[in-house]
Amino acid sequence: MKKIAILGLSVLGLVLLVACGSAPGASQSGSDKGNTIGKTVKIGVNMELSGAYAAPGNAEKNAIQLATDEINAKGGIGGKQIELVVKDNKTDNGEVATVVSNLTNNDKVAAIIGPMSSGGTLAATPNVTKAQVPLITPTGTNDSLTYKNDKVQPYIFRTIFPDAFQGKVIANYIEKSLNAKKVLVYYDNSSDYARGILKTFKANYKGTIVDTLSYQAGDKDFQAALTKVKNKSFDAIALIGYYAEGGLITKQAREMGITQPIVGGDGISDPTYTALAGNAATNVHYVAGFSTKAPFNETTKKFIDAYQKAYNEEPSAFAACAYDAVYMIKQAAESGKVENSVALAKALGNVKGLVGATGTIDIDKHHNPVKSAVMVKLEEGKEVAAEIVK
């Protein structure tokens, strides 16, 4: 009996060692290699293809496919073809996390592009970090996505500039270009994106904020709020949120006789904004990572032509940022001996001099792109001018 007991303890000890990953040759989940890059470079697409953000989500998916087709036609990444695994997160943060789990654990992707939103990216972060698979959000701008509590998020990157940059650009433009001394703020208080921009706008705008109105995603009637402030004295409106509500706010404000310039972030850069606002989108200005009227370089021009040919429409800033995300992965994967997702994440942090559709991109120490932006001007629902700003 004593021998059996000793043998049992020995077996138990071995089982515990294996379970803890301490036995020689033991297989560990959450290894320091993440997912291996095999015969193809598997890239997951975790995108808002239905739901509230379907319009920009599908534009981003189209641009990702365009970049993939271009790269594959020229031999792929280091001789390996890109294999896209596309999934719809339905603009639902719970679904976002499920999609990440499937892409990393079942499909064994080496990188993920998307979600396009800040809230979605925040929801995806725990699972990609656990799986050690890098995620690039093309248009998630919240500052804390890549750098939180004084720590860099090792597996989160982006191709769009963060909220802090947008808030400064909007504040400077309203104050200096529009010479607006007093401003009315109208923002989406249900959005991480809008709250982030508002924070940096307030920190940088030196004029007077006469009032701050808020709404929630999905609201459609803004007349009561606008009626309360229409007779107040202000020089401009800082409209901070996404295109659906932004388009309706613009239309209703103009119909009520509110004529002051409206300045927004890149959340209203989708064509749906002008479709909703119509001719009321007059004297409207917004920050964008891209404009067909202000190409940064020859790559921008080629992208515009290729996207129009493929999809029979002009590309949005959402599409351009997603296009650059694929080329960012390409540069990183070809930078050295990159055989797995962990090595790919490290290489993404060293991307420099990438000449993309949205300008020349250098990734900084916080995993943000250092590049210029564009300020677009709309009149009667049409883009009439754009200028590159910093």
Side-chain angles (χ1 to χ4, degrees), residues 49 55 63 82 128 130 138 159 206 241 314:
L49 303 180
I82 298 174
V128 293
K130 180 180 179 181
T159 50
K206 295 180 176 60
E314 282 196 347

Side-chain angles (χ1 to χ4, degrees), residues 309-374:
K309 184 177 179 180
Y311 303 110
N312 198 33
E313 64 181 15
E314 282 196 347
S316 65
F318 290 98
C321 287
Y323 179 86
D324 283 351
V326 184
Y327 278 95
M328 188 169 150
I329 291 171
K330 180 179 186 294
Q331 187 190 101
E334 293 179 341
S335 65
K337 194 174 182 181
V338 178
E339 298 178 344
N340 53 62
S341 60
V342 173
L344 181 59
K346 291 178 181 177
L348 283 168
N350 294 320
V351 166
K352 295 287 184 292
L354 174 62
V355 180
T358 62
T360 300
I361 298 171
D362 293 330
I363 298 300
D364 69 13
K365 63 182 181 179
H366 292 166
H367 293 179
N368 296 317
V370 178
K371 60 179 182 178
S372 299
V374 175

